[in-house]
Amino acid sequence: MKLYVSVDMEGVTGLTDPEEMHAGGRGYERGCELMTGDANAVVEGAFDAGADTVLVNDAHGSTKNLRIDLIDPRASLIRGPGKPHRMGQGLSGDFDAACFAGYHARAGVQHGVLNHTWMGKEIHDVYLNGEICGETRLVAGLAGSLGVPVVLVTGDEAACEEAREVLGDVETVAVKKGIDRFSAELLPPSVAQARIREATARALGRLSDFRPYPVSPPYTLGVEWNSTAIAAGCAIVPGTRLVGPRHTEFTTDDYWDIMSLFGIFATIAGRIACGSGVYG
């Protein structure tokens, strides 16, 4: 059995502060250790269930967060910037299942800890084929286009609710309960990670219950930006059209284009936003 694991940071056990999300911020180094702990819990559960291969992708921000010196030695790790497919880097059709660890609720979700979609403040909402879309749906769509089912999502309660709305009877582990965007009631890491390990093994033990998440081509990615300037800048990208003052759309028959395009959009939006902070 071959398992793919995409690991974000906002939904990691114990983390609530934007400072913990980026290098140089207060608590970031400890955050990296906690992120690695959640990833390892998935890896351990996978091998408990009989996995032969586990590939872990660092899917947060700089993608240089997971600690290779602390990662379970039975897994391999994709780390570092320049990954064309970002949160789905390394995923292919020969995986039996995918797990998402440390994921968060989409932008604007009440009680969603560090809620956002792809960028902390530049993006107001994202739409996939006309339906509102968070990162769980976005990456599940990629997995689905490859015939790979998502079997586990971990994060805060809001992220787990979103995952069940999108994916149905997926295994979820809520490691914290949001109070507001930057506050939550937390589980201790030992408790949360034990639950993640158990849920991973349970998910893989009933692998036949899961089906890939279907999104029908052509794929249209709509992004409502927080400024007209960002929308105008992104509309310069070939194939991207401006459909409103702050709204761009891009349509393709290849889902990989959607993942790649977000990297380009993030670069443009970040430059136009003039480095005004990760979250606002």
Side-chain angles (χ1 to χ4, degrees):
M1 183 175 13
K2 188 175 181 180
L3 181 68
Y4 177 83
V5 187
S6 176
V7 189
D8 205 352
M9 197 170 190
E10 286 86 358
V12 161
T13 299
L15 304 183
T16 61
D17 191 333
E19 288 286 313
E20 297 165 332
M21 298 297 113
H22 59 90
R26 182 181 64 254
Y28 170 73
E29 296 300 333
R30 176 60 176 149
C32 292
E33 294 176 2
L34 290 167
M35 183 181 180
T36 308
D38 281 13
N40 279 341
V42 177
V43 175
E44 290 162 5
F47 282 102
D48 289 347
D52 303 301
T53 302
V54 178
L55 176 64
V56 178
N57 178 36
D58 188 327
H60 174 74
S62 69
T63 66
K64 298 186 293 183
N65 313 284
L66 288 171
R67 291 275 302 272
I68 187 60
D69 56 321
L70 299 179
I71 205 79
D72 190 305
R74 295 171 293 181
S76 57
L77 172 66
I78 297 176
R79 182 181 187 273
K83 301 186 297 189
H85 302 130
R86 312 290 285 187
M87 298 183 78
Q89 187 67 38
L91 185 56
S92 61
D94 61 346
F95 283 91
D96 295 288
C99 295
F100 300 162
Y103 271 49
H104 53 82
R106 61 176 174 79
V109 172
Q110 190 175 24
H111 308 308
V113 181
L114 296 165
N115 66 77
H116 68 283
T117 305
W118 203 265
M119 302 186 77
K121 62 184 179 62
E122 290 84 359
I123 292 177
H124 185 70
D125 270 319
V126 171
Y127 301 87
L128 181 61
N129 288 4
E131 295 183 20
I132 199 160
C133 179
E135 291 170 25
T136 296
R137 183 166 184 250
L138 184 75
V139 187
L142 173 64
S145 73
L146 298 168
V148 179
V150 178
V151 302
L152 171 77
V153 178
T154 80
D156 70 326
E157 280 193 356
C160 293
E161 290 173 7
E162 184 177 323
R164 290 190 294 269
E165 288 173 4
V166 171
L167 301 171
D169 187 27
V170 65
E171 291 283 346
T172 61
V173 179
V175 302
K176 50 195 169 189
K177 179 180 181 180
I179 297 169
D180 202 346
R181 197 181 188 201
F182 304 129
S183 57
E185 179 182 342
L186 308 172
L187 290 178
S190 60
V191 174
Q193 289 163 9
R195 292 183 185 180
I196 293 171
R197 180 175 182 170
E198 292 164 3
T200 304
R202 188 165 58 246
L204 295 178
R206 62 182 191 95
L207 189 56
S208 61
D209 292 344
F210 299 99
R211 297 292 180 269
Y213 177 66
V215 182
S216 299
Y219 310 109
T220 296
L221 175 71
V223 183
E224 185 180 356
W225 301 94
N226 75 348
S227 82
T228 56
I230 293 175
C234 291
I236 295 172
V237 176
T240 304
R241 57 193 178 277
L242 198 63
V243 296
R246 296 184 300 152
H247 199 147
T248 58
E249 284 189 351
F250 176 88
T251 300
T252 178
D253 288 322
D254 187 346
Y255 204 101
W256 288 112
D257 293 342
I258 299 292
M259 304 303 295
S260 300
L261 187 66
F262 253 131
I264 298 169
F265 278 175
T267 300
I268 294 171
R271 296 287 291 181
I272 292 174
C274 301
S276 57
V278 180
Y279 299 94

